[in-house]
Amino acid sequence: MKNNSNPRIRQGDDVNTEWSQVSYEAWCRENAVEFVSFPEKRIVDLYKVVRSVIEKDFSPAEQRAAVLHWYKGLSVAAAAEKEGTSTANMYRALSRGKEKIRLVLKHLIDCEVYRIPVE
């Protein structure tokens, strides 16, 4: 059972889920004027969300790994060599970064809209 000393973390939550919600809500507040809205829908620029996560939530090692591999197109081995680290460390940094992005992006999706009834 979790310690409920933090009122924002409820039973069943985990720290990653809580962090991602806070990160997503902060991004929404910062970019509120840029939203295009339809009834009950908000359209956002995914590139801006991902860039915000990389800039604000990635560690310096995760940022360097993302820039070298995702933006500059270096292979993981070449990026690791450029950073002076092992390929395993580079894979771990990229994996942690992808998970941070996934956790924030999941707040953009209303799962009910995409639920298909089983017949």
Side-chain angles (χ1 to χ4, degrees):
M1 183 165 249
K2 292 201 181 272
N3 178 355
N4 287 329
S5 62
N6 183 342
R8 289 193 47 94
I9 299 177
R10 300 169 305 277
Q11 184 175 354
D13 283 350
D14 63 274
V15 175
N16 290 332
T17 302
E18 184 64 19
W19 158 83
S20 64
Q21 181 67 38
V22 169
S23 182
Y24 173 69
E25 288 171 358
W27 182 86
C28 286
R29 280 191 306 277
E30 291 171 7
N31 296 284
V33 295
E34 298 177 24
F35 290 136
V36 174
S37 295
F38 292 98
E40 299 181 25
K41 300 289 178 204
R42 178 172 37 195
I43 298 177
V44 298
D45 184 341
L46 291 178
Y47 176 78
K48 287 182 180 180
V49 175
V50 171
R51 185 174 178 171
S52 174
V53 172
I54 291 170
E55 290 174 353
K56 296 179 181 177
D57 299 318
F58 275 29
S59 70
E62 292 164 350
Q63 286 178 350
R64 290 190 305 272
V67 167
L68 291 173
H69 183 62
W70 297 337
Y71 290 97
K72 293 190 176 180
L74 294 179
S75 68
V76 173
E81 184 177 324
K82 188 168 181 85
E83 280 296 300
T85 188
S86 69
T87 55
N89 284 342
M90 186 61 63
Y91 275 114
R92 278 192 287 277
L94 291 168
S95 179
R96 285 190 310 266
K98 281 190 243 179
E99 182 62 10
K100 287 178 180 179
I101 292 169
R102 186 192 69 78
L103 287 169
V104 171
L105 289 181
K106 75 178 184 176
H107 297 289
L108 292 172
I109 299 170
D110 178 9
C111 294
E112 295 297 318
V113 172
Y114 298 103
R115 185 169 293 161
I116 298 171
V118 178
E119 294 181 20

